[in-house]
Amino acid sequence: MSLRTARALTGTYFTLALLAVTWPGLLPFARIRPFILGLPFSMAWIAAWIAGSIVVLYLLDLVERRYRVDEDESEARVRATPPAGSHPSGPATGTDQGGHS
Amino acid sequence: MEQWVVVTIVISLYLALTLTIGLMAGRRSTDSVTGYVAADRSFGLVVMYFVTGASVFSAFAFLGGPGWAYSRGAAAFYILAYGALGMAPFYWVGPKIAKMGRRHGFVTQAQLITGRFPSRGLSALIAALSLVAFIPYVTIQMRGAGIVIEAVTDGHVPLWLGALVAYGIVIIYVLAAGAMAVGWTNTFQGAFMIVIAWTLGLYLPNRLYGGVGPMFEQIAAARPELLVPPGLDAAGGTWTWGAFSTFILVSAVGLMMWPHLFMKAFTAKDDQTLRRTVILFPTFQLFLIPVFLIGFSGVLFAGTPPSSDFILPFMILETDLPALVVGLFCAGALSASMSTGDALLHASASVVVEDGVAKFVELDEQRQRRLMQLLVLLTGATAYWFALDPDSSLVLLLASAYGIIAQFAPPVVSALYWRRATTPGVLAGLIAGTATAFFFWQMPALKPFDMHEGVLGLLVHIPVLVSVSLMTPEQDAAHVRGFIE
């Protein structure tokens, strides 16, 4: 899967999640029965969207990590050749290297 | 031995252990401002996970959560709904903030915003708004700690003393060790409160009703209105969908804009740690399920607590648990209170010094650290003074604190993603948004669709930010490149 697709799908999931737990998306699910694992339906419904977000974020991370290898390399190249005329408040090089290891 | 004595011993042991962990952690930190504010950017996954989780879930979640489930039923589900939504964007935004921190040396939220939009006025405004939002939040944590201790010791340890001892300890380790102590104590406290919540949340329904399912069957038969969103309002009538939905929205937007949580992005060791924290955060969020179960278990229980916020200690005491267990549960509630309180005190001092004072007065590192420590003490004392006064308006103040905090989202997003944003635009938007939120907080009857004042603030904030930015000259391209590649 491409990075773009993975990000779009993740964005879609969280947009749907927001709709699903607020008005009017929650209306059809604002009910007591059927009970799920002993919980009223609406409570289980909201909890399920949270549990689902763990899976979605994990899958996104799998894709992101595959692409990040390339990005880190290109960033390393950029850092090796400092851009001309860097702004006083924002030196793009030097201080940037501390956190990467 | 009398029950309250055993309980007091358990609580004392717990507090001693917390203090030890806090002080030991401090020996690993350097003496610099980055060390005090951002723990030398050294936190790994386990610490980040618990720091984030334990700082988010406070006495408000641990005492207020069951209280809402008990008195307002499904209205409490809003607390469950917003966390994952609010945290998810941080998968991308968090590492970007951390990168800016490393590149420009930022340790606070306002430094990031005013790094992109240079203005001392903007910096001071953010520091002042943060402090206004922080004080009632700390006060609630202190009162929570005091309430729990007073309740479980049968009043032998009064509220003023319980809050004083618990927060005296918090202040000692925050003064001594800053972010490093907050991180390591939160790891201990976070793990502790999860175990306590799940144990008690499953135990009470089983003991009183024979299980979670049977408990809800009985509530559905006797008080079905409690189990259907949007639940009830404070007066017992049906809550509005407008309020339920916008509470979720404003909390999701505001969640990571709380300076004490936002600053955590600067404490992570590397970007992957931040991303993994975001992925795992919803597991912490699910801890609200047992918290709600505790509250629901009180609905059909004979007898009523003095106020709905007391439902947790009330249920513990009314079900004749052994004193040792009561002590442990109490320590769990204290964990929730102290793990948020320490992060709040630490962040408010850091923000006021870094973004308020240091912008106007020249200070060396040593002086800054000293001043932060002095402010931890001052903020703590102010909040303590409020905590002793049972003034209910503070609870209202906390609810609207989210309205203020959510106004930090547009400046942060503009700083990181919108090239055309300008300093006058951001300043105008922040003032307009905060003023709108404040207006509707004062005039709740005028709120359209009963919407949260923070959302109404954002509806004014964003158009003002965009239009004023477009009307003012754009920023120097080289300057913007330092923030947006």
Side-chain angles (χ1 to χ4, degrees):
Chain A
M1 193 190 288
S2 78
L3 192 58
R4 187 178 285 266
T5 318
R7 286 181 176 176
L9 286 175
T10 310
T12 310
Y13 178 84
F14 282 101
T15 311
L16 286 176
L18 177 63
L19 291 174
V21 299
T22 51
W23 185 90
L26 184 56
L27 281 177
F29 309 98
R31 49 197 291 173
I32 301 176
R33 288 169 207 282
F35 279 24
I36 311 282
L37 298 171
L39 301 177
F41 188 81
S42 58
M43 189 172 169
W45 169 258
I46 295 171
W49 280 98
I50 296 170
S53 68
I54 303 171
V55 178
V56 169
L57 286 170
Y58 176 74
L59 293 176
L60 168 76
D61 193 53
L62 286 184
V63 181
E64 289 256 355
R65 253 186 304 179
R66 221 173 48 215
Y67 282 86
R68 198 169 299 130
V69 180
D70 314 332
E71 204 180 89
D72 284 351
E73 279 167 6
S74 63
E75 198 180 300
R77 273 200 305 277
V78 170
R79 235 184 283 132
T81 50
S86 57
H87 195 270
S89 78
T93 56
T95 52
D96 198 11
Q97 286 155 5
H100 293 287
S101 52
Chain B
M1 209 183 320
E2 276 191 80
Q3 164 148 331
W4 76 270
V5 180
V6 181
V7 173
T8 310
I9 293 173
V10 174
I11 297 172
S12 307
L13 286 175
Y14 162 80
L15 289 173
L17 191 57
T18 308
L19 182 62
T20 313
I21 294 171
L23 292 179
M24 300 250 295
R27 294 165 47 188
R28 300 159 55 111
S29 173
T30 65
D31 217 24
S32 64
V33 167
T34 309
Y36 190 76
V37 179
D40 299 315
R41 310 187 198 280
S42 67
F43 287 168
L45 181 63
V46 174
V47 179
M48 277 299 287
Y49 172 73
F50 283 108
V51 162
T52 313
S55 310
V56 170
F57 295 105
S58 62
F60 177 69
F62 215 84
L63 298 173
W68 269 55
Y70 168 73
S71 61
R72 305 180 57 170
F77 296 169
Y78 105 80
I79 308 173
L80 182 64
Y82 72 76
L85 290 169
M87 188 62 88
F90 245 62
Y91 182 90
W92 296 292
V93 181
K96 210 168 154 78
I97 295 167
K99 189 172 168 184
M100 295 301 137
R102 290 190 298 263
R103 180 183 295 178
H104 302 289
F106 300 146
V107 287
T108 72
Q109 187 176 21
Q111 285 175 348
L112 173 73
I113 296 173
T114 55
R116 168 77 203 275
F117 307 111
S119 156
R120 290 200 300 185
L122 181 60
S123 185
L125 180 62
I126 294 171
L129 289 175
S130 305
L131 196 63
V132 167
F134 270 148
I135 297 234
Y137 206 170
V138 180
T139 301
I140 300 289
Q141 307 308 322
M142 284 188 179
R143 260 191 88 73
I147 283 173
V148 169
I149 295 177
E150 179 174 298
V152 299
T153 58
D154 289 335
H156 284 95
V157 182
L159 196 155
W160 70 265
L161 183 61
L164 186 67
V165 172
Y167 274 81
I169 285 171
V170 167
I171 284 176
I172 290 172
Y173 68 68
V174 172
L175 282 182
M180 198 66 92
V182 173
W184 285 96
T185 52
N186 282 12
T187 305
F188 166 66
Q189 291 162 329
F192 200 83
M193 65 199 252
I194 287 192
V195 172
I196 295 296
W198 278 104
T199 313
L200 194 60
L202 295 177
Y203 172 82
L204 284 176
N206 266 301
R207 163 82 191 276
L208 298 171
Y209 306 92
V212 173
M215 176 178 80
F216 281 116
E217 286 289 355
Q218 289 180 38
I219 297 176
R223 306 222 16 221
E225 74 279 7
L226 275 180
L227 299 185
V228 187
L232 308 180
D233 63 17
T238 308
W239 209 22
T240 60
W241 276 108
F244 183 88
S245 304
T246 50
F247 263 65
I248 292 177
L249 198 60
V250 79
S251 309
V253 172
L255 176 64
M256 291 312 289
M257 292 301 137
W258 276 100
H260 65 292
L261 297 175
F262 190 94
M263 285 163 64
K264 297 290 184 282
F266 298 123
T267 60
K269 195 164 60 185
D270 54 47
D271 294 352
Q272 197 52 24
T273 305
L274 269 177
R275 293 189 189 100
R276 290 207 177 110
T277 307
V278 175
I279 298 170
L280 288 173
F281 178 76
T283 60
F284 221 109
Q285 187 77 13
L286 290 173
F287 132 101
L288 283 167
I289 291 176
V291 165
F292 292 160
L293 294 179
I294 296 169
F296 279 121
S297 75
V299 171
L300 299 176
F301 189 74
T304 35
S307 102
S308 62
D309 285 345
F310 279 86
I311 188 71
L312 175 88
F314 177 79
M315 291 307 291
I316 293 170
L317 292 173
E318 290 296 310
T319 44
D320 294 325
L321 291 165
L324 179 68
V325 182
V326 174
L328 286 175
F329 289 148
C330 176
L334 285 181
S335 290
S337 157
M338 292 165 71
S339 60
T340 306
D342 60 7
L344 288 168
L345 281 172
H346 172 256
S348 57
S350 305
V351 167
V352 170
V353 172
E354 283 291 307
D355 306 325
V357 182
K359 290 279 171 182
F360 298 90
V361 189
E362 201 68 42
L363 289 170
D364 59 34
E365 289 242 329
Q366 195 60 35
R367 282 254 175 82
Q368 282 193 30
R369 211 182 140 127
R370 275 283 149 67
L371 195 57
M372 278 176 202
Q373 289 165 330
L374 182 69
L375 267 154
V376 166
L377 213 56
L378 275 178
T379 317
T382 312
Y384 180 70
W385 184 74
F386 280 121
L388 296 184
D389 175 23
D391 183 357
S392 62
S393 70
L394 279 169
V395 179
L396 285 175
L397 216 56
L398 176 65
S400 52
Y402 255 105
I404 297 176
I405 293 301
Q407 308 306 323
F408 291 163
V412 167
V413 172
S414 306
L416 295 174
Y417 296 100
W418 195 36
R419 291 169 197 278
R420 190 60 186 80
T422 66
T423 307
V426 167
L427 196 55
L430 187 59
I431 292 170
T434 313
T436 309
F438 184 77
F439 172 79
F440 283 108
W441 175 58
Q442 287 292 312
M443 306 276 175
L446 298 179
K447 289 193 273 193
F449 304 108
D450 202 21
M451 285 161 83
H452 192 288
E453 59 270 14
V455 171
L456 295 167
L458 287 173
L459 288 177
V460 173
H461 186 155
I462 297 166
V464 169
L465 191 161
V466 172
S467 49
V468 175
S469 285
L470 292 177
M471 284 187 291
T472 43
E474 58 186 299
Q475 290 188 314
D476 178 40
H479 172 71
V480 175
R481 258 202 306 279
F483 295 85
I484 309 171
E485 275 95 15

